Amino acid sequence: MPHRYTGLVEAYRNRLPISAEARAISLGEGNTPLIELDNLVRDVGFGGRILVKYEGLNPTGSFKDRGMTVAVTQAVDEGARAVICASTGNTSAAAAAYAARAGITALVVVPDGKIAAGKLAQAVMHGAVIVQIEGNFDAGMRLVKEVGETSPVTIVNSINPYRLQGQKTAAFEIVDALGAAPDYHCLPVGNAGNITAHWIGYTEAIGQGTPACAFCAGDCRAPHPAMTDRRPVMLGFQASGSAPFMRGGPVADPDTVATAIRIGDPQSWEPAHVVQKESGGWFDELSDEEILDTQAKLAEREGVFCEPASAASLAGALRDIKRGKIADGSTVVCTLTGHGLKDPEIAMRGALDHIVKVPAERGAIADLLAKKMA
Ligand code: F0G
């Protein structure tokens, strides 16, 4: 039987709070690979498994597509003609693409500078109205909430509960792929929507509800059949210059090379604490250097290219394995939230050290090859 995968809304319609008749606005998102890191596991001498959920392979190159397909499907079903978001880049790329697909307007509010080139290029190409404010993401978020209260436009940031409903499907895919939930699940944390969404997914996968879910608030009256009998310990990693969960409150002037998670005032503060408590997990922080080192290591040793923010999940996992906080022998899943090509400037910083200039002659190439293989 021919089978064309047509995206999350069709794949998980019975587990999503959208009407049976709603036309799915999809780009074939989801169904991303779960890649086993054989080389790095050997390098660090870990007796368990590390797998990365490569969300950078979604249509616009980040996990945001999971949330956006559901949020835009619902918005269009309700008759919306425009969507709006504040964004460090990936949400705006996804909002722009899905709005284009739906034939509605996207207005995206981005910080002044500090937005990766690839992400801005996407918003431009998909025809979004791009508003650059003199302020950071948190200021943009405040502005978008104000506009949402007075103008006929749907907010598609993760405060829109349909976003988290879409993003929870990543947990279903992981449980499907492994046959059970992993022991640990590591994620980079900015607004903390994604870690909350994963917890909702894992909780539904054991046939229950959680207070972190805006739809059932822990009192799920129509649980689905259990797919697994356990949930992972959830670990959330932030960049040190932008780590409100580690400081115990908002950070006024967040800064990090991982611009995607340059957020000082997370919107899902309470639900993320529910996740931490219910799962027995923890938050931690990583320096920019640790994040970039891990991004490079993953690319060089495993052939997987993620953007800096995404590398925080793996950097944290590797450090906690080394420290013995993650038990040897466990199965660890790290979400790689966005593709490395999103942020070419970061990748190209070390390019001059990698590029060798030689005359266009066979001998020069042969010499280089011989040197490399020696
Ligand atoms: N990783 C990437 C690549 C992101 O783009 C984001 C968030 C996160 C991690 C953090 O996820 O906010 O759910 O905790 N990016 C948002 C944006 C803020 O505007 O694109 P979170």
Side-chain angles (χ1 to χ4, degrees):
M1 272 288 279
H3 176 69
R4 191 170 70 91
Y5 178 81
T6 51
L8 285 185
V9 172
E10 296 305 343
Y12 292 107
R13 202 182 270 267
N14 65 345
R15 286 179 177 265
L16 293 169
I18 48 174
S19 87
E21 295 77 39
R23 177 172 67 98
I25 309 296
S26 172
L27 290 163
E29 60 295 311
N31 200 19
T32 55
L34 187 62
I35 303 172
E36 186 110 33
L37 300 188
D38 299 314
N39 298 333
L40 283 180
V41 161
R42 220 177 307 120
D43 290 351
V44 299
F46 182 50
R49 302 173 72 188
I50 307 176
L51 303 105
V52 288
K53 183 72 170 158
Y54 196 11
E55 292 287 275
L57 291 194
N58 275 298
T60 77
S62 88
F63 72 96
K64 304 286 180 179
D65 295 344
R66 289 185 189 272
M68 208 54 75
T69 183
V70 178
V72 174
T73 293
Q74 177 66 19
V76 169
D77 195 44
E78 288 171 4
R81 304 294 323 281
V83 293
I84 190 170
C85 66
S87 181
T88 56
N90 281 324
T91 300
S92 58
Y98 284 81
R101 186 88 171 143
I104 62 173
T105 297
L107 193 150
V108 305
V109 177
V110 297
D112 193 4
K114 309 266 179 171
I115 168 166
K119 303 175 187 181
L120 199 51
Q122 291 176 291
V124 170
M125 286 304 291
H126 295 306
V129 180
I130 304 169
V131 181
Q132 198 157 52
I133 54 161
E134 289 170 13
N136 61 19
F137 170 86
D138 302 303
M141 195 63 242
R142 280 194 295 275
L143 196 58
V144 161
K145 282 177 170 174
E146 282 172 27
V147 174
E149 273 170 24
T150 49
S151 299
V153 62
T154 302
I155 298 176
V156 290
N157 281 103
S158 57
I159 55 171
N160 177 332
Y162 291 94
R163 277 275 313 275
L164 301 196
Q165 289 293 307
Q167 288 167 216
K168 76 182 180 185
T169 58
F172 298 160
E173 291 177 13
I174 291 165
V175 169
D176 260 344
L178 296 176
D183 299 310
Y184 298 88
H185 190 129
C186 309
L187 288 132
V189 170
N191 257 327
N194 208 25
I195 196 167
T196 303
H198 277 74
W199 190 241
I200 293 170
Y202 281 123
T203 305
E204 286 187 18
I206 58 165
Q208 290 180 15
T210 166
C213 173
F215 285 89
C216 76
D219 182 24
C220 196
R221 290 180 203 287
H224 293 279
M227 305 160 71
T228 178
D229 59 3
R230 59 173 187 184
R231 296 180 290 183
V233 176
M234 302 294 291
L235 311 187
F237 294 105
Q238 301 213 282
S240 292
S242 182
F245 283 99
M246 300 306 292
R247 307 290 168 263
V251 170
D253 197 9
D255 201 17
T256 168
V257 68
T259 53
I261 50 173
R262 193 166 165 265
I263 294 172
D265 189 8
Q267 298 299 307
S268 292
W269 179 263
E270 300 291 339
H273 281 99
V274 169
V275 175
Q276 187 232 321
K277 276 199 207 89
E278 283 191 346
S279 79
W282 57 86
F283 296 110
D284 211 337
E285 63 187 289
L286 294 128
S287 68
D288 281 0
E289 199 186 351
E290 288 173 294
I291 289 172
L292 293 178
D293 277 357
T294 304
Q295 183 200 22
K297 214 185 285 173
L298 180 65
E300 285 176 20
R301 293 289 292 139
E302 300 282 2
V304 178
F305 188 21
C306 70
E307 68 169 284
S310 309
S313 61
L314 180 62
L318 291 172
R319 197 175 63 190
D320 284 343
I321 284 171
K322 204 164 158 192
R323 289 177 176 171
K325 287 180 81 177
I326 290 179
D328 199 21
S330 345
T331 297
V332 182
V333 169
C334 299
T335 299
L336 300 179
T337 44
H339 201 288
L341 289 172
K342 289 273 194 177
D343 199 344
E345 282 157 30
I346 289 290
M348 290 301 286
R349 281 185 329 170
L352 291 184
D353 299 337
H354 278 262
I355 299 170
V356 188
K357 281 200 173 167
V358 296
E361 289 163 10
R362 189 188 60 82
I365 310 278
D367 285 352
L368 266 179
L369 198 57
K371 224 181 275 167
K372 184 76 191 168
M373 310 290 286

